Amino acid sequence: MADPFGPQFAPQPAPEPDPGAPHPLADRVGQADDGTRWVATETRSRIVHLSAARANLLALAARDERRPVLISDELSSLTPAFARIWRDSGGTWVVRQADGALRNGFDGRRLSRLEESWTQPRPQSVDDYSIGYLRIPEGADILQVTTLVGLRHPARERTLLGEPLDVLAKRMDSTAGLAWGTHEPVGEPWDRRRATDVIRAEMPRLTTVVAAGPGLSATIGAQRTEFGVEEIDHLVTGIGAPDEATFAAVRSRLADVFRRVAETGMPLVGLQLVHPGRRDLAVPPYLLPPPLPLALFVGAPAVRSFGLDVALMRERHGAEVVGRPRLPALLFELGPVGLEAWQRLDRILAAFNPTLLEEALGMAAGSLSRIRSEAPSEPDPDAPHPDTPDQEGGPDA
């Protein structure tokens, strides 16, 4: 039988646009001093979503080897799907402040030129930040939980993608109104078979669809690899402002995503983090307190690839053994919520052989590395925080 996820099932490519014809959203193009070619799009939208036009701009930027740059004012926020796909495509975000100064919308670094949004490293001290970025954002009054799951599937006709979203929506009572699409706003009722067919039609290249429901936003991406079909899902759900007892119950239901996929599929790795945010789940151009890890999941293939001792992991780190008896996976609850949870996570990850990371975790290895690199390595009382008083006496000039 022919491989249903093979390249021979990819649709015929559409006619290439005229390279000389400007994209309607391309407000400026240029080349930086470091040789990077870029294309910038400006917006005044209060919520910037992954519209069909923006998705097309990303595709053309990739074809022309240009870095996409979003330019907005301080009133624009991004949907989680747009923020993730824009960044994964190499995109940057430049915020033009009311006083005319620039800053990086993702990390708050002061900028003097547009190209510094990708040439300058993440801020290392308070002096690197724009004061505007440190202001307390309005409406960040709930907790959000981000769930990252990487899975591996056989390239078969009956393979279905998106199970983590299915499980999460059911556990959080968000199935009513759950919809999906190839761009935002989504409008088609959630259907795993339909979403899988759309992604499969674009194999072997990486293709991502988006989904949204009440208090829920998700991206589901997959590509064909030598190991089969690699899937990576990012799920963001709002859980309100629960008290301690309610939060513990919600936390257990969220971890059921890992328990379930360990029983029915072949997940590679998973991570759950909690962070303050807005009810609309939008990503604001302001600093929020750092995300804090709740749980780490290590699937059966990774347990085997890393040579992890299941009994030792249970004894030393309190791992819960989940999945099928012959294919054990490990679920690590990372204890009380706090910056120390990052240290507990690091102690567990120290058992992973870094040379096997990419092979064992597939696409999820990159996401896991990015999350870890952007998080604090230890509690730091001097780290910038929205409540930090003005250190410079006023807006940056």
Side-chain angles (χ1 to χ4, degrees):
M1 176 181 174
D3 178 356
F5 283 86
Q8 67 269 30
F9 278 77
Q12 293 299 312
E16 289 285 353
D18 177 3
H23 191 280
L25 293 186
D27 294 298
R28 282 189 282 164
V29 296
Q31 183 166 330
D33 292 342
D34 67 351
T36 302
R37 286 152 44 89
W38 53 267
V39 55
T41 180
E42 300 200 30
T43 183
R44 288 181 173 271
S45 298
R46 291 297 171 262
I47 300 294
V48 182
H49 60 277
L50 187 70
S51 64
R54 292 190 181 108
N56 182 249
L57 177 64
L58 281 177
L60 294 184
R63 183 202 66 180
D64 296 341
E65 298 183 338
R66 291 185 181 272
R67 182 183 291 272
V69 181
L70 175 71
I71 302 174
S72 76
D73 58 25
E74 294 179 283
L75 301 179
S76 294
S77 296
L78 318 180
T79 66
F82 176 86
R84 184 168 304 113
I85 292 174
W86 192 260
R87 295 188 76 182
D88 288 348
S89 302
T92 62
W93 181 16
V94 175
V95 174
R96 183 183 291 114
Q97 302 178 157
D99 60 5
L102 305 177
R103 71 171 185 260
N104 188 314
F106 288 122
D107 64 27
R109 173 175 277 279
R110 300 170 180 271
L111 305 175
S112 58
R113 294 181 298 167
L114 178 148
E115 67 185 72
E116 289 182 354
S117 63
W118 66 84
T119 61
Q120 293 297 308
R122 290 179 57 81
Q124 302 300 311
S125 70
V126 171
D127 291 338
D128 294 332
Y129 287 88
S130 163
I131 288 298
Y133 182 70
L134 301 178
R135 293 177 183 141
I136 300 175
E138 295 182 2
D141 55 357
I142 70 162
L143 293 179
Q144 300 174 8
V145 174
T146 296
T147 301
L148 160 71
V149 192
L151 308 98
R152 184 172 290 156
H153 306 278
R156 297 173 183 164
E157 183 69 34
R158 64 176 180 269
T159 290
L160 285 177
L161 308 175
E163 183 178 23
L165 173 59
D166 252 12
V167 177
L168 181 67
K170 290 172 183 175
R171 294 295 187 273
M172 303 306 294
D173 297 323
S174 297
T175 53
L178 185 61
W180 76 282
T182 56
H183 52 79
E184 299 175 300
V186 295
E188 186 171 344
W190 171 242
D191 184 318
R192 287 180 65 191
R193 171 50 64 189
R194 284 278 299 121
T196 300
D197 288 345
V198 166
I199 293 176
R200 184 176 62 193
E202 299 296 328
M203 292 288 176
R205 69 185 181 90
L206 174 62
T207 302
T208 301
V209 299
V210 297
L216 180 62
S217 175
T219 60
I220 300 167
Q223 67 180 9
R224 185 74 161 89
T225 74
E226 60 180 306
F227 301 107
V229 176
E230 300 269 347
E231 175 184 355
I232 183 164
D233 299 350
H234 289 81
L235 318 172
V236 181
T237 185
I239 61 172
D243 58 29
E244 185 174 349
T246 303
F247 178 73
V250 170
R251 183 173 177 173
S252 179
R253 292 206 308 272
L254 290 167
D256 282 345
V257 173
F258 301 136
R259 298 184 180 99
R260 176 61 179 170
V261 297
E263 295 171 355
T264 60
M266 196 58 67
L268 303 173
V269 69
L271 184 66
Q272 283 180 333
L273 307 103
V274 64
H275 44 100
R278 296 176 8 176
R279 291 187 182 276
D280 62 4
L281 307 183
V283 179
Y286 301 102
L287 177 67
L288 293 172
L292 301 171
L294 296 176
L296 171 70
F297 170 80
V298 183
V303 169
R304 183 172 58 250
S305 295
F306 290 122
L308 299 181
D309 185 322
V310 172
L312 182 62
M313 291 292 105
R314 184 166 47 193
E315 178 185 347
R316 181 172 295 174
H317 300 291
E320 175 187 349
V321 181
V322 296
R324 289 157 283 186
R326 293 172 63 100
L327 296 169
L330 299 173
L331 176 61
F332 300 87
E333 295 279 1
L334 297 174
V337 177
L339 289 175
E340 294 81 2
W342 285 112
Q343 296 174 323
R344 292 191 287 271
L345 177 63
D346 285 342
R347 286 195 291 271
I348 298 169
L349 293 179
F352 290 17
N353 184 334
T355 62
L356 297 177
L357 190 65
E358 187 169 345
E359 178 182 344
L361 303 186
M363 292 189 298
S367 293
L368 187 62
S369 296
R370 172 187 286 178
I371 289 172
R372 191 62 199 91
S373 68
E374 294 182 354
S377 56
E378 59 184 355
D380 182 359
D382 298 321
H385 186 277
D387 296 330
T388 302
D390 252 52
Q391 303 270 333
E392 303 173 32
D396 46 330

